[in-house]
Structures are given as structure tokens and as C-alpha cells.
Amino acid sequence: MKIEDCFEIGYISKTRGLKGEVQVSFSYPEPEKLKISSVFIEMNHKLVPYFVSNYKIPMPMIGYFNFEDIEHIDQASSITKKKIYLPNRLKPKRKKGEFLFTDLLGFTAEDEQAGALGQILNVQEYPQQFLATINIQEKEVLIPLNETFIAEINIDKRFIRFNLPDGLLDLYMNS
């Protein structure tokens, strides 16, 4: 399986307990909609299949997984900090016209005061909000995807215009 044929659902953040259970931090916006019986874990730029013996999602965006053949914390430690993927064919279908913040990946961004910012390179969900990553003058800048900061989104032109608060960009550019 190739990475292009899959979509990322999250990463294994840490081990949990002594019997090989791991904690998964989901990057996929609605992990409860996923049907997971096996996953692919990225190891050395290759996808390795792992069969899930059981899992639960006790909190938003956090899951606890047990994999077949991983029965001890030492075995589980070898897969921590690794990205997890599912085949594209298992991606839940969206309702027509549904648009998520994660769809902004690759959009061109500008600010009403600062002008052109660049391309959105990554969109991550944190407990309180989504953040877009843009490289500006070789510095990684995180911009909150907050409705009060978004002036316009043009899906057809893959463009977003922000009205960022004064000083936000200065925090990154002057450090």
C-alpha cells in the first residue's frame, strides 16, 4: 500500500499501561465515523499493516488501541510517534456541499492588512480550534481558523482572506 492510496487519521502519541495499549491522537475530524479493523503505520517511509484487536474513543480526538501481536509496553513503544493511515476506500462519504477546515490545505492565503501570506501547508485540530500552518519569510506561522478572523473563502479559486488581529504576524516575524 502506498501513502498516496491512503489518508492519515492521526498518530500514536504514547503507550498506555503495560499490556501494549497505545493512545492515538486523531487528525481526522470525525474519528467516530471511521470503521477500523486494521490500520497502516508509517515506519521508515513505508506503510506497515497492523490488525486492531479493539479500540475505543473515550474523548474527542483521542483513542485507545490494542493491536494483535502487541502485548507488552516494550512492543508498543516501537510504534509511538508514528502516523496512522487507512485506505482511501474506507474514507467516510461527505454530504454534498459539506466543507471542513481541513479542506483549506493548499489554499492561497492573504491578510487584509499584510497582503499575500502564502499557501496553507497544514491544518491541525487542537482541542479549542483549528490552526493553519503557512511559511512566511521562511518562518512557520500558525493562524487560527476562527470565523472572526476569516473574511472570505473562495472554494473555486482555492483562496482564503483573513482579517488577522494586529500583532499576530509580528509575534512570528520579530522572534
Side-chain angles (χ1 to χ4, degrees):
M1 184 71 63
K2 296 179 184 169
I3 289 180
E4 306 84 60
D5 300 329
C6 297
F7 67 102
E8 183 182 334
I9 64 167
Y11 73 97
I12 299 172
S13 53
K14 61 184 180 179
T15 60
R16 185 169 185 268
L18 300 174
K19 296 185 178 181
E21 187 175 45
V22 294
Q23 179 176 303
V24 171
S25 294
F26 288 104
S27 56
Y28 187 78
E30 298 174 302
E32 64 281 352
K33 291 187 176 179
L34 298 172
K35 298 195 183 345
I36 304 172
S37 60
S38 64
V39 297
F40 290 95
I41 297 177
E42 183 180 11
M43 302 184 83
N44 299 322
H45 306 292
K46 291 188 174 25
L47 294 181
V48 179
Y50 280 81
F51 294 96
V52 176
S53 55
N54 64 61
Y55 74 97
K56 58 187 170 207
I57 303 174
M59 303 176 258
M61 306 307 286
I62 299 291
Y64 300 134
F65 280 69
N66 288 95
F67 296 106
E68 292 180 12
D69 301 325
I70 295 184
E71 298 169 357
H72 190 271
I73 188 171
D74 293 338
Q75 294 169 308
S77 294
S78 68
I79 59 172
T80 59
K81 308 298 182 213
K82 306 283 188 207
K83 292 181 181 179
I84 301 176
Y85 296 85
L86 284 177
N88 285 333
R89 63 182 168 73
L90 296 178
K91 195 171 201 174
K93 302 285 186 241
R94 283 203 214 160
K95 296 177 183 136
K96 188 174 175 137
E98 184 178 13
F99 185 83
L100 304 172
F101 280 137
T102 52
D103 294 332
L104 292 171
L105 190 66
F107 274 47
T108 302
E110 77 172 33
D111 178 56
E112 290 182 344
Q113 283 76 40
L117 299 176
Q119 189 175 55
I120 295 178
L121 303 174
N122 194 10
V123 177
Q124 293 178 298
E125 182 177 7
Y126 289 91
Q128 302 300 321
Q129 66 188 347
F130 283 87
L131 294 175
T133 304
I134 301 173
N135 276 343
I136 302 174
Q137 298 173 6
E138 298 182 22
K139 293 189 181 190
E140 188 175 90
V141 176
L142 300 176
I143 296 178
L145 294 173
N146 181 316
E147 291 180 13
T148 59
F149 300 157
I150 297 173
E152 174 189 0
I153 297 176
N154 186 319
I155 296 169
D156 295 331
K157 294 182 180 178
R158 298 185 51 80
F159 168 82
I160 182 169
R161 183 171 44 250
F162 293 100
N163 185 6
L164 297 174
D166 292 339
L168 178 69
L169 294 176
D170 294 337
L171 289 172
Y172 292 97
M173 307 320 287
N174 295 331
S175 61

